[in-house]
């Protein structure tokens, strides 16, 4: 008998309006939902990409009781188009890799069908915030895995070259910040993120601070205990050690409370999300991710130092 998560109810689902990357809601037809139990519901389409993402969450969050003696799953399927190459052996992920990754991944609760959509049920990471500021950073120097469909390879080779993906190891996929001084939101469209260049992408991280009347860029990123760089460095250390997974187009998501006036009240959180293009790594480090993390840390540090120099 296959391991599984307990069934979910579709009662009390409400449109989600805080998402900045992926499927975003609009007033007429919401793409994602939240409920009163602290869950976020993300749509998926049946196929190998959804299978991979669900299998990844199963690998990470199925308990020993749920597994009931069956092997812990991994994230590659050598049986369908757009999956790992034929003959790829199944290996369960390393338990140490899973333990190090779990604190960064929103908890998974299972799947649900609602309103003609299939939904992944995940932890609602924005629930604790009144004014959730959200930055979605798509990680990796390349979005392309060699065994993908040719149209995917062509599309994302072009996108990587035209954005900061290939040059910096990441691109800005979503951005939303609250300005307490004006009581307004700054939420540029996706093209704004795609238009960032190697020369100006660092400005994104200073712009993400709420600024006057709120949190400074120095505290948001650089505070030793509560800033975002500390968990990003911890994630980077994990990325350099892990040998269980290969990630393409997954994102680091940085969130904090936009109404906070001091870093102690900002509740900065760094998470890792979006696993439709995650594969088992067969004992090799995912350098596409680990070197991208190094680049991200360097660019953030450089941007914050430049911002401090201007303020001096």
């Amino acid at each position: 008998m296959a391991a599984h998560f307990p069934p979910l109810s579709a009662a009390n689902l409400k449109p989600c309006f805080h998402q900045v990357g992926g499927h975003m809601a609009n007033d007429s037809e919401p793409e994602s939902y939240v409920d009163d139990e602290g869950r976020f519901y993300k749509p998926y389409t049946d196929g190998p990409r959804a299978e991979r993402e669900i299998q990844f969450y199963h690998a990470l969050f199925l308990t020993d009781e749920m597994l009931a003696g069956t092997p812990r799953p991994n994230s590659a399927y050598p049986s369908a188009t757009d999956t790992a190459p034929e003959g790829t052996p199944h290996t369960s992920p390393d338990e140490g890799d899973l333990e190090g990754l779990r604190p960064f991944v929103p908890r998974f609760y299972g799947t649900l069908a609602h309103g003609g959509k299939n939904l992944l049920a995940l932890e609602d990471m924005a629930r604790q915030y009144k004014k959730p500021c959200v930055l979605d950073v798509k990680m990796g120097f390349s979005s392309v895995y060699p065994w993908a469909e040719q149209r995917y390879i062509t599309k994302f080779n072009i996108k990587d070259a035209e954005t900061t993906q290939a040059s910096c190891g990441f691109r800005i996929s979503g951005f939303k910040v609250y300005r307490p001084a004006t009581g307004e939101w700054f939420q540029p469209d996706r093209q704004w993120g795609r238009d960032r260049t190697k020369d100006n992408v660092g400005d994104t991280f200073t712009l993400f601070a709420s600024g006057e009347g709120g949190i400074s860029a120095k505290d948001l990123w650089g505070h030793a205990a509560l800033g975002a760089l500390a968990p990003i460095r911890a994630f980077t250390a994990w990325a350099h050690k892990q040998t269980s997974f290969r990630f393409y187009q997954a994102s680091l998501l940085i969130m904090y409370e936009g109404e906070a006036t001091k870093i102690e009240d900002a509740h900065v959180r760094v998470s890792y999300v979006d696993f439709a293009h995650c594969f088992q790594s067969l004992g090799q480090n995912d350098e596409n991710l680990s070197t991208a993390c190094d680049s991200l840390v360097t660019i953030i540090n450089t941007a914050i130092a430049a911002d401090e120099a201007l303020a001096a």
Side-chain angles (χ1 to χ4, degrees):
M1 182 176 179
H4 64 279
F5 285 81
L8 296 165
S9 169
N12 301 316
L13 295 193
K14 299 174 289 188
C16 172
F17 296 103
H18 58 65
Q19 197 172 5
V20 298
H23 303 268
M24 291 186 289
N26 58 57
D27 291 335
S28 59
E29 186 177 354
E31 288 286 350
S32 56
Y33 303 85
V34 293
D35 67 16
D36 295 329
E37 304 300 318
R39 299 187 184 100
F40 165 76
Y41 295 83
K42 165 187 170 181
Y44 71 90
T45 302
D46 285 335
R49 297 181 186 188
E51 286 183 29
R52 280 197 299 269
E53 186 154 25
I54 292 169
Q55 184 116 328
F56 171 82
Y57 284 119
H58 282 190
L60 204 57
F61 291 116
L62 279 171
T63 64
D64 290 340
E65 183 179 4
M66 292 175 182
L67 287 167
T70 60
R72 185 169 292 280
N74 209 317
S75 304
Y77 300 86
S79 59
T81 304
D82 191 25
T83 63
E86 287 291 333
T88 300
H90 171 85
T91 58
S92 292
D94 179 81
E95 288 295 333
D97 290 344
L98 295 175
E99 183 179 353
L101 180 58
R102 283 190 188 103
F104 295 100
V105 177
R107 185 155 188 84
F108 177 72
Y109 296 101
T111 60
L112 178 70
H114 174 71
K117 296 186 179 79
N118 294 319
L119 304 171
L120 298 176
L122 302 166
E123 174 189 357
D124 180 10
M125 296 178 293
R127 190 186 190 200
Q128 67 173 310
Y129 303 115
K130 295 178 180 179
K131 295 285 192 294
C133 299
V134 188
L135 177 62
D136 186 319
V137 184
K138 195 71 69 178
M139 297 300 296
F141 279 93
S142 175
S143 304
V144 174
Y145 38 97
W147 53 89
E149 296 171 337
Q150 186 56 50
R151 62 180 181 176
Y152 174 95
I153 292 174
T154 301
K155 174 183 177 180
F156 282 97
N157 273 334
I158 293 171
K159 180 177 282 190
D160 288 353
E162 290 180 344
T163 66
T164 57
Q165 201 83 59
S167 59
C168 298
F170 62 88
R171 64 180 169 86
I172 305 304
S173 182
F175 186 104
K176 179 180 180 180
V177 63
Y178 180 71
R179 304 294 190 204
T182 62
E184 296 177 348
W185 289 94
F186 175 51
Q187 185 175 5
D189 61 21
R190 294 184 191 179
Q191 192 59 47
W192 181 88
R194 293 171 184 167
D195 289 342
R196 300 301 89 194
T197 68
K198 187 174 183 179
D199 292 331
N200 67 22
V201 72
D203 297 342
T204 305
F205 303 104
T206 53
L207 285 171
F208 187 55
S210 54
E212 183 182 352
I215 305 300
S216 70
K218 179 181 179 180
D219 279 347
L220 174 62
W221 297 103
H223 190 281
L226 303 174
L229 267 175
I232 290 174
R233 288 192 183 101
F235 179 82
T236 300
W238 173 85
H240 275 280
K241 292 190 298 183
Q242 73 91 17
T243 58
S244 294
F245 302 111
R246 293 174 68 179
F247 298 98
Y248 299 89
Q249 294 204 61
S251 290
L252 281 174
L253 204 66
I254 298 93
M255 304 182 72
Y256 73 96
E257 175 54 65
E259 285 191 343
T261 58
K262 53 185 180 180
I263 192 65
E264 290 80 5
D265 298 328
H267 306 295
V268 177
R269 178 170 180 177
V270 174
S271 304
Y272 196 45
V273 300
D274 296 338
F275 305 108
H277 305 280
C278 173
F279 301 89
Q280 63 188 60
S281 190
L282 303 178
Q284 297 179 334
N285 180 251
D286 180 8
E287 294 185 356
N288 185 49
L289 172 63
S290 57
T291 56
C293 289
D294 290 337
S295 175
L296 177 65
V297 170
T298 297
I299 288 172
I300 293 174
N301 275 325
T302 300
I304 302 313
D307 187 61
E308 289 182 35
L310 283 174

